[in-house]
Amino acid sequence: MNRLGLKPIFSDRPNLRLFFISSKTLIICLAILLNLLFSSVRLIAAGVDEEFEQANRLYEQGRYTESAQVYEKIIKSGRASAAIYFNWGNALFKSGKIGMAIYAYLNAERLAPRDPDIKANLEFARKAVSGGAVLAKKNWTDIVRKLTLNEWAILFAITFWGLFIMLALCQWNTQYKNKLRFPIKLNLVLLLIFGFCLGLNAYERITNRIAIVIVPEGIAHQGPLDESPKKFPIRDGLEFTIVDKKGEWLQVVDNSNRIGWVKTNDVVLLPRW
Amino acid sequence: MNRCGLIIKSFAAILWIFAAGIHLFAATLTVSIDPPTVSVGETAILNLMFEGGVPDGNVKMPEVENLDFQFTGQSSRQIIINNRVSSQYVISYAVTSQKEGEYTIPSIVATVGGQRVASQPIKFVVAKADNRDIERFARLRLSVSRDRVRIGEPFYVEIRLLFLAMNGAEQPQLASDGFTIGKFAQNESHTIEDGRSWRLITLKTFAIALKPGDLTIGPASMKVTIPARLERNFFGETIVASWRTVILTTPSYKIKAEPLPSMDVPPQFNGAIGVYNMSVSVAPTNIAVGDPITVKITISGRGPIESLSLPEQPQWSEFKVYPPTSKVELTDQFGLAGSKTFEQVVVAKSTETRELPPFTFAYFDTDKQQYQVLKGPTVPLIVRPSAGNTIIFASTNTPSAVAQADIVHIKTRHGVIGQISPPLIAQPLFWTLQTLPAVAWLGLLIRRKRLDELANNPKLRRRLQSEKIIKEELKKLHQFAQEQKTEEFFAGIFRILQEKLGERLDLPAASITESVIDEYLKPAGARQELIETLQKLFFECNQARYAGQKNARQLNEFIPLVQKTLDLLSDFEIKKG
C-alpha cells in the first residue's frame, strides 16, 4: 500500500504464480519436445536398421565391395551416423580403396571426434598409404577438434542463453543481482571460451579444405594444364590441402609443402560442412 | 560478233563487280610482330589483326620450335576510311625464345564468319642476349648447401635475385629432375655488390634426392621485367624510358647422390634419415590383462620429421600392438627440424608378462654417415589377472604378425542417426534462436527502466493509477446504466470525478467534494464550460440520493458528459495556489 492508500500497480516482486505456471508448462513442453525429438530420430532411423544389418552381414562374409555399396546407399539417402561412416570406411579399406576409406573415416571423425576406433583406423589407413604421411595438424586444432562443430555450437548456445536468462532475471527482480553476480561472470568467461573455440573450428573448416587422392596412381602438375610439366606423383589415399581452384584443376599442397595441380576427378573433397 | 562481244564484256563487268563486292566484304587476317628482332629472353608482341569480322572460336597458334606464345589480350576498333567503316579485331601474343636464331612464324589460319582466312608467314629474329647489359639491372644466383648427399637426405637450395630496378617477376623455375623440391620461402633484404646497393629477394627451399648417381639441380630461371632504356629527365634525373621482359638463368649444380650403405643395416631401420634423439615413457605399469599401456615415444632432431614412422618391434610379441597416433611439432619452416610424438597403445596378453622390452629406433645419421640405433628403457610391469572374463588373443607366433595389426572391426550398432545437414552455425534458425534471450533481456531491461522512472516520479504513478481506476469505473457505469441502478451509477460518477480531480489537484481522492470548484478551479482560471459540466455532474450526483429512479436511456446520456468532463480536466493545467 502506498501513501495514497492504494495498491501499487507495479511491483518489484516477481509474480510467483506466473513462475509456477511457467514451470509446469515448461516441463510439459520439454516432455513434448523430447518425445518429438525421439520420434523423429526413430523415424529417421526407420529403414536404416535393415540396410545397416545387410551391409554388416556382407562385410562379415568378406564381400567388402558390396558392403561398401550398401553403406554408401544409406549415406546417399541423406541419413548417417559416425558408425555408418566408420563401417563404410572399413569396407572401402578392405576393398582396397584407401583414399575413399580415409574420406569416410574423416567424415566419421567429424561426427564422433573422440571415438578411439575411428582414430585408430584413420591412422592405420594413413599409414597404409605408401609414400604418404599424416597431415600435420596445428596445435590449437587438437583441442578444438575434441568436440564437433555442433557440440561447440550447443555449448555456445547454452552459455549464451544462460547469460541472457540470468541478466533477464536480474532485470526481473533486482534481488537476483547480487546472487547471480558470480554465475554471470563465470558464464561470460565460458561464453567467450566456447565462442572462441567455435570460431576457430568454423574457421578451420572454411579455410582448410582437404582433398584426398582416390585414383591408384596420378600426377601432380606444375600448372593447371595437361601439358604442364609433371611435378610429383600422387597415390591413392594421399591427403592434400587445397590452395586454389581453376576449372577442373585444384592447386594442392602436401605435408612436405610440395605444391602441384591435380585434376578434380583424381581426388575427393572433404565437404566444408 | 559485235553483239556477242558486248554480251561477253557485260558478263565480265558483272563478274568484276561481283568479285569486287565479295572482296569489299571479305575478311582478312594480317600478322605483325613488334619488334621484329629481340634478344634471347626478350619479348616481342605478335598481333593478329582481323578485318571484316571476328574469328569463330579460338585461333590455334602454330607450333614453332623454341618459340613460346603467350596470349596477352584482345581488342577491337572501328576505322573510317573514305567514308567506309571497317572493323578491326586484334589478338595479341607475347613471343619469347630462349634460343637465338632466325625464325619463321608460318601462316596462321582462322575462320571468320564461316570463311577461312590465312595470314602471310612472318620472319622473327632472336639475337644473342647481352648478359652484361642485363646484369646491370638484375642478377640471379643459385646455391645449394651440399654437393654430396644420401638418397632421402634433405638439403637446402637457395635462389637469390638481386636487382636495382624491376617491374614485376614471375615465380622461379628450377630444373630438378631426380629430386623432390619443397615449397619456396621468400625473404627480402638489401646487399652490396660491385659497390652498389641491390635489393635482394632470397627464395629458399629444400630438395631430396630420389635416385642415386650424378644428378643435376638447376639451372634456375626467372622471368623478370627490367629497364630496357634509361634517360635523363628535365631535372637531370635518370628515369626508366622503357621496360623489357627477360629470363634470368643461373648455372646448374652437380649433386652426387649416394644410396644408403647396405652393410650393417639395423633390423629396425625403416628409412629414417637425419640426426635424432629419442625419449620413451610408459604408463601405467601396474595393469590388469587387457588394460591398455600407453607408450609415448618422442623423436626429435633434424631431418624429415613429418615422414617418420615407428618401426616394427618384434620384441613386443607378448603384447597386442595397436596402430599409433602421432603429433608433429616443427621448429623449422621447411619441416626439417622439430619433434614427432607417437602414442602407441599396447596390451599385455597374459599375467606372465613381467616387463615391456625396450623400444628401438634406427636411423641413418647424416653427420656420422652411419646407422645409429636408439634404445628406450626396459620397463618392469605388474600384470594382474583381469577382473572379468579372461581375454584370449589370437595366437601371434611370428613377430611380424604383431606389427601387422588390422583395422578395428566394424561397429554392430549404427548409433544415433541424423539427417546429413549443415552444422548448426550454418543454419539461420540457430542464430535466430540466439536472439530470443537477448530480446527477452532487452524487454525486461526496458521494463526495469520504466519501473525506476515510476519510482522516481510519484505524479506519473498517481496519473497512471487514476487512469486505471477511471477506466474500470467507466466500464461499471455502462453496466449500472443497463441495470438501471441509479444510485450506484451516480456513486460511480462521483468516484470518477474524485479520482480525476484528486490526481489533477494532487489531493487525496477521498477529500474531493463540489467545493474544489470554487476553491481551486475557478482561481486557477478554469474554463466556464468545465466548471459548468462539473457543477452539473456534482448536482446530479447529489440529486440522485433523493430523486427517483432514472431509466437506462437517461443514465446513458450522462456517460458522454462524464467523458467530456474528463477530457476537459485532462487538458486543463492546474496552477496550485
Side-chain angles (χ1 to χ4, degrees):
Chain A
M1 301 287 271
N2 59 19
R3 69 183 176 90
L4 295 169
L6 295 166
K7 187 188 165 208
I9 300 167
F10 301 102
S11 168
D12 270 1
R13 283 189 303 165
N15 189 339
L16 294 175
R17 192 165 161 267
L18 182 70
F19 265 122
F20 287 131
I21 291 167
S22 298
S23 304
K24 283 176 190 171
T25 315
L26 196 69
I27 289 163
I28 293 164
C29 288
L30 275 174
I32 293 167
L33 274 174
L34 282 173
N35 193 29
L36 281 172
L37 185 70
F38 288 126
S39 306
S40 62
V41 167
R42 278 197 296 273
L43 272 175
I44 293 167
V48 173
D49 291 341
E50 203 178 316
E51 285 173 310
F52 185 75
E53 287 301 324
Q54 184 198 349
N56 283 5
R57 211 174 298 119
L58 288 167
Y59 185 92
E60 299 290 1
Q61 290 165 2
R63 294 155 70 184
Y64 302 119
T65 308
E66 294 163 64
S67 172
Q69 283 168 354
V70 181
Y71 289 125
E72 192 178 355
K73 192 181 154 196
I74 300 172
I75 290 162
K76 279 192 173 168
S77 71
R79 297 162 298 177
S81 68
I84 295 173
Y85 273 119
F86 175 80
N87 288 6
W88 184 37
N90 277 11
L92 288 165
F93 185 84
K94 290 281 186 183
S95 53
K97 294 174 181 171
I98 302 177
M100 280 304 294
I102 289 173
Y103 170 80
Y105 291 141
L106 286 172
N107 275 295
E109 195 186 34
R110 279 186 173 182
L111 295 173
R114 297 177 299 283
D115 189 321
D117 294 344
I118 297 169
K119 274 188 186 299
N121 282 8
L122 182 58
E123 284 293 319
F124 194 90
R126 280 171 168 167
K127 266 188 77 177
V129 178
S130 52
V134 177
L135 266 182
K137 292 174 184 175
K138 294 165 195 167
N139 289 335
W140 56 265
T141 58
D142 293 344
I143 304 159
V144 171
R145 283 183 182 179
K146 295 283 180 196
L147 298 183
T148 66
L149 197 56
N150 276 354
E151 284 169 342
W152 283 121
I154 288 166
L155 283 176
F156 173 80
I158 288 169
T159 45
F160 187 82
W161 274 71
L163 179 70
F164 276 99
I165 285 170
M166 284 192 278
L167 287 173
L169 275 175
C170 292
Q171 296 303 331
W172 178 261
N173 188 335
T174 48
Q175 288 176 359
Y176 287 118
K177 268 191 179 174
N178 285 334
K179 289 177 187 171
L180 295 177
R181 186 163 291 152
F182 177 70
I184 285 173
K185 283 180 183 173
L186 181 70
N187 211 77
L188 185 65
V189 171
L190 288 174
L191 178 69
L192 291 174
I193 292 168
F194 295 151
F196 181 71
C197 291
L198 175 67
L200 283 181
N201 205 328
Y203 174 80
E204 199 208 356
R205 285 276 188 94
I206 293 164
T207 55
N208 194 20
R209 300 294 313 277
I210 302 290
I212 306 150
V213 179
I214 54 167
V215 289
E217 296 282 337
I219 289 290
H221 293 258
Q222 280 188 1
L225 292 167
D226 282 320
E227 296 78 17
S228 182
K230 292 169 183 175
K231 193 84 182 276
F232 53 88
I234 56 173
R235 291 186 185 86
D236 189 17
L238 280 178
E239 290 169 70
F240 295 104
T241 304
I242 300 168
V243 179
D244 196 6
K245 188 179 182 190
K246 195 171 184 182
E248 58 172 7
W249 292 84
L250 292 171
Q251 191 181 26
V252 294
V253 57
D254 72 356
N255 58 332
S256 307
N257 285 335
R258 294 183 303 177
I259 291 188
W261 288 85
V262 296
K263 280 192 167 178
T264 48
N265 289 342
D266 293 349
V267 295
V268 62
L269 306 186
L270 199 63
R272 180 169 285 153
W273 301 123
Chain B
M1 184 67 191
N2 285 345
R3 194 176 173 186
C4 185
L6 189 64
I7 291 167
I8 290 166
K9 280 178 183 174
S10 302
F11 187 68
I14 290 165
L15 273 178
W16 183 83
I17 290 166
F18 183 70
I22 288 172
H23 180 73
L24 199 63
F25 296 107
T28 59
L29 168 58
T30 314
V31 173
S32 63
I33 191 159
D34 182 39
T37 302
V38 294
S39 300
V40 169
E42 282 188 351
T43 303
I45 300 297
L46 180 77
N47 287 322
L48 313 183
M49 190 167 69
F50 295 87
E51 282 189 275
V54 177
D56 306 335
N58 293 332
V59 177
K60 187 166 170 30
M61 292 302 289
E63 294 279 340
V64 183
E65 197 177 354
N66 298 324
L67 280 193
D68 180 37
F69 296 95
Q70 292 288 333
F71 175 76
T72 56
Q74 58 197 35
S75 61
S76 61
R77 59 183 173 179
Q78 300 281 326
I79 294 175
I80 303 170
I81 301 169
N82 296 333
N83 292 328
R84 190 164 68 84
V85 180
S86 66
S87 64
Q88 285 185 347
Y89 182 79
V90 180
I91 301 175
S92 303
Y93 288 86
V95 188
T96 50
S97 177
Q98 295 305 314
K99 196 172 179 183
E100 60 192 270
E102 189 175 315
Y103 298 93
T104 301
I105 299 169
S107 173
I108 296 165
V109 180
T111 311
V112 179
Q115 183 195 343
R116 192 170 170 275
V117 291
S119 68
Q120 292 294 321
I122 191 167
K123 295 275 183 198
F124 179 51
V125 178
V126 179
K128 194 175 179 181
D130 185 354
N131 281 338
R132 283 174 305 173
D133 194 34
I134 294 170
E135 291 217 336
R136 278 174 59 209
F137 298 106
R139 297 168 182 182
L140 195 69
R141 307 268 190 270
L142 172 69
S143 61
V144 291
S145 63
R146 305 278 295 271
D147 58 356
R148 196 183 178 98
V149 293
R150 296 281 183 178
I151 292 170
E153 180 189 356
F155 62 98
Y156 291 107
V157 179
E158 198 172 85
I159 297 171
R160 290 153 58 91
L161 172 68
L162 296 86
F163 63 94
L164 295 173
M166 198 168 69
N167 188 23
E170 291 184 4
Q171 282 292 315
Q173 301 292 319
L174 180 66
S176 55
D177 189 31
F179 294 94
T180 181
I181 301 288
K183 191 181 176 185
F184 281 102
Q186 188 173 321
N187 183 30
E188 284 193 46
S189 60
H190 284 83
T191 187
I192 304 289
E193 199 172 294
D194 296 342
R196 284 190 291 176
S197 175
W198 298 74
R199 279 184 68 190
L200 171 66
I201 295 176
T202 308
L203 297 146
K204 195 173 179 182
T205 186
F206 70 91
I208 297 172
L210 300 173
K211 60 183 181 184
D214 290 327
L215 304 176
T216 304
I217 193 158
S221 60
M222 201 167 178
K223 193 183 266 187
V224 295
T225 305
I226 57 168
R229 193 165 59 81
L230 301 177
E231 63 181 26
R232 290 193 181 276
N233 65 6
F234 179 76
F235 303 102
E237 294 166 336
T238 306
I239 56 165
V240 179
S242 62
W243 297 89
R244 61 175 171 164
T245 302
V246 296
I247 296 177
L248 304 174
T249 53
T250 68
S252 57
Y253 277 92
K254 293 276 182 206
I255 306 281
K256 188 170 178 60
E258 294 173 322
L260 295 177
S262 55
M263 299 289 285
D264 303 326
V265 182
Q268 299 88 353
F269 180 70
N270 66 348
I273 186 164
V275 180
Y276 300 109
N277 293 313
M278 183 180 76
S279 67
V280 179
S281 66
V282 178
T285 53
N286 187 342
I287 34 106
V289 174
D291 284 354
I293 304 166
T294 303
V295 184
K296 196 170 175 182
I297 304 139
T298 302
I299 299 169
S300 55
R302 288 183 284 116
I305 288 282
E306 286 177 292
S307 61
L308 289 181
S309 60
L310 291 187
E312 292 175 9
Q313 301 295 314
Q315 68 276 23
W316 285 0
S317 58
E318 294 299 313
F319 296 84
K320 184 172 174 62
V321 181
Y322 286 87
T325 58
S326 65
K327 196 169 80 174
V328 178
E329 284 180 10
L330 299 172
T331 54
D332 173 89
Q333 61 178 325
F334 302 108
L336 299 178
S339 65
K340 189 167 186 176
T341 303
F342 297 90
E343 283 196 356
Q344 173 85 69
V345 173
V346 296
V347 174
K349 292 179 189 172
S350 77
T351 53
E352 302 298 313
T353 308
R354 294 283 175 268
E355 62 181 25
L356 179 74
F359 177 87
T360 51
F361 174 74
Y363 69 97
F364 182 79
D365 192 315
T366 49
D367 285 356
K368 295 176 181 167
Q369 291 294 309
Q370 62 183 27
Y371 291 103
Q372 298 285 322
V373 177
L374 300 173
K375 203 169 183 179
T378 301
V379 181
L381 295 175
I382 300 168
V383 184
R384 291 172 275 107
S386 171
N389 296 332
T390 308
I391 296 170
I392 300 165
F393 291 99
S395 167
T396 50
N397 295 326
T398 56
S400 59
V402 178
Q404 286 171 358
D406 200 359
I407 52 172
V408 180
H409 199 63
I410 55 167
K411 293 179 189 290
T412 52
R413 293 177 190 277
H414 55 58
V416 179
I417 290 178
Q419 291 286 354
I420 299 173
S421 58
L424 291 172
I425 59 159
Q427 295 181 21
L429 180 66
F430 175 77
W431 295 111
T432 309
L433 282 174
Q434 303 317 307
T435 60
L436 293 182
V439 168
W441 168 74
L442 200 64
L444 287 167
L445 181 71
I446 292 166
R447 175 187 166 274
R448 164 61 47 200
K449 295 279 175 202
R450 180 87 173 138
L451 283 175
D452 290 347
E453 194 185 351
L454 284 172
N456 298 326
N457 191 345
K459 282 196 87 170
L460 176 65
R461 194 168 58 207
R462 173 80 192 275
R463 186 163 62 79
L464 292 170
Q465 272 181 336
S466 67
E467 276 175 5
K468 195 184 175 195
I469 293 167
I470 289 166
K471 201 176 167 187
E472 285 171 7
E473 290 295 336
L474 279 171
K475 260 189 212 170
K476 285 181 190 170
L477 284 188
H478 287 283
Q479 194 186 334
F480 293 145
Q482 290 303 315
E483 293 167 2
Q484 296 186 11
K485 291 180 177 171
T486 309
E487 201 170 326
E488 286 87 343
F489 182 83
F490 283 104
I493 290 177
F494 194 75
R495 275 198 299 278
I496 288 169
L497 292 176
Q498 277 186 315
E499 273 302 327
K500 190 68 186 177
L501 281 166
E503 181 258 316
R504 300 305 292 160
L505 298 171
D506 199 15
L507 293 169
S511 68
I512 300 296
T513 60
E514 195 178 354
S515 62
V516 297
I517 298 171
D518 294 325
E519 285 176 30
Y520 294 101
L521 295 179
K522 281 182 181 174
R527 285 167 60 186
Q528 192 58 34
E529 189 186 8
L530 173 62
I531 290 167
E532 281 173 7
T533 52
L534 275 173
Q535 282 173 337
K536 180 175 167 55
L537 285 173
F538 275 120
F539 175 75
E540 290 293 339
C541 289
N542 291 333
Q543 281 291 306
R545 295 176 196 163
Y546 316 109
Q549 289 288 316
K550 286 187 168 37
N551 61 30
R553 188 183 57 79
Q554 287 170 321
L555 292 176
N556 272 326
E557 280 173 359
F558 280 97
I559 294 172
L561 188 66
V562 173
Q563 195 63 59
K564 186 186 170 187
T565 310
L566 291 173
D567 291 343
L568 287 168
L569 275 170
S570 296
D571 294 341
F572 179 60
E573 192 60 39
I574 306 292
K575 292 170 189 167
K576 281 198 80 175

